[in-house]
Amino acid sequence: KRSVGDELEILRDKYKVTAFGFVDPIFNIPIGHDEVICREMIRRKLGLQWTAWFNERHLTDNLLALIKQAGCIRMEFSSDSVSDATLKKLRKNITAQDLKNSYQLAKKYDIDVTYNFMLNGPGETLLSQLQLAVFVLKAKPALRGRLKLPGLFMVITRIYPHTELRQLAIQKRLISEGNDLLAPVFYNPVPLKYVANSMIFFLKTLWRIKHTAEKLLLPAR
């Protein structure tokens, strides 16, 4: 905790950093480490704003109160799905209820939230894709402007070497045994391929319209 606190003080005092993000590691795993870091930031009165990736299962009222006090302004989640069946297939340790809890806590403590999902992965069904749409439709009015969805918060799963997904893709004849996967290849089998592609096209279009409208509404400088 001291080394983290020391580094943050250097970034603030020497390089005038006012905001930063914890990236790659999940901030609230291992359990307890997150609270130690937050208490150190609070003790030093760093006054920095920050973001981090979190695991939905290990969110508590106590943790949210701490990260809020320590300066966290946005929680990011790589949820991949909102379907219990699909989450189990993906070997995620979270449930649909954990995701619901995550945005309810974010609303309670007034913290921004970002979710990332993968479409048409192993175990995906038309129902699970509809559940994803319902989740977003419920989270948006609950969080309002606190729900910060990137332009591609729904993507197709990329296939990587030495993974079970690669073996499954070979079985489904999506790739050949000799494909080294150096060039990006994505797991998107039919028939849900067409649903997933349509959803992503629709989202991209909405994103472009949103940003175009924002630029047109910006005051002239």
Side-chain angles (χ1 to χ4, degrees), residues 161-210:
H162 314 297
T163 62
E164 290 185 25
L165 187 62
R166 175 183 178 274
Q167 296 304 317
L168 186 59
I170 292 172
Q171 292 173 17
K172 289 183 174 292
R173 298 184 179 180
L174 298 177
I175 60 173
S176 65
E177 184 75 46
N179 192 322
D180 58 17
L181 298 175
L182 290 177
V185 181
F186 299 89
Y187 184 89
N188 196 16
V190 295
L192 291 180
K193 171 180 181 178
Y194 307 109
V195 178
N197 289 348
S198 297
M199 289 179 69
I200 290 175
F201 174 79
F202 179 68
L203 287 169
K204 282 183 178 180
T205 302
L206 283 181
W207 186 253
R208 292 192 186 102
I209 292 172
K210 175 178 179 290

Side-chain angles (χ1 to χ4, degrees), residues 124-136:
E124 192 86 271
T125 64
L126 180 59
L127 176 60
S128 65
Q129 291 194 1
L130 291 174
Q131 287 173 327
L132 176 52
V134 170
F135 173 83
V136 175

Side-chain angles (χ1 to χ4, degrees), residues 18 40 70 77 98 121 126 134 138 197 203:
T18 58
E40 183 68 8
F77 299 102
D98 292 328
L126 180 59
V134 170
K138 286 184 177 180
N197 289 348
L203 287 169

Side-chain angles (χ1 to χ4, degrees), residues 31-32 34-36 38-39 42 58-70 105 108-109 111:
I31 297 172
D34 47 2
E35 296 185 4
V36 171
C38 284
R39 289 194 178 97
I42 294 168
H58 302 299
L59 296 180
T60 63
D61 271 279
N62 182 59
L63 176 60
L64 269 287
L66 272 176
I67 67 172
K68 177 75 174 182
Q69 189 179 354
L105 284 171
K108 180 178 179 179
Y109 288 94
I111 298 176

Side-chain angles (χ1 to χ4, degrees), residues 2 5-6 9 12 40-46:
R2 290 180 181 175
D6 290 343
E9 281 192 341
R12 182 194 63 182
E40 183 68 8
M41 287 192 284
I42 294 168
R43 184 186 71 81
R44 295 189 187 222
K45 299 179 180 179
L46 295 174

Side-chain angles (χ1 to χ4, degrees), residues 18-22 27 38 41 47-54 64 66-77 106-107 109-114 143 145-148:
T18 58
F20 70 95
F22 291 101
F27 187 72
C38 284
M41 287 192 284
L48 298 172
Q49 294 185 331
W50 54 275
T51 67
W53 292 89
F54 289 82
L64 269 287
L66 272 176
I67 67 172
K68 177 75 174 182
Q69 189 179 354
C72 181
I73 58 171
R74 187 175 72 246
M75 297 187 296
E76 303 194 45
F77 299 102
K107 178 183 178 181
Y109 288 94
D110 202 26
I111 298 176
D112 288 354
V113 177
T114 294
L143 291 168
R146 289 296 183 194
L147 183 60
K148 307 293 185 181

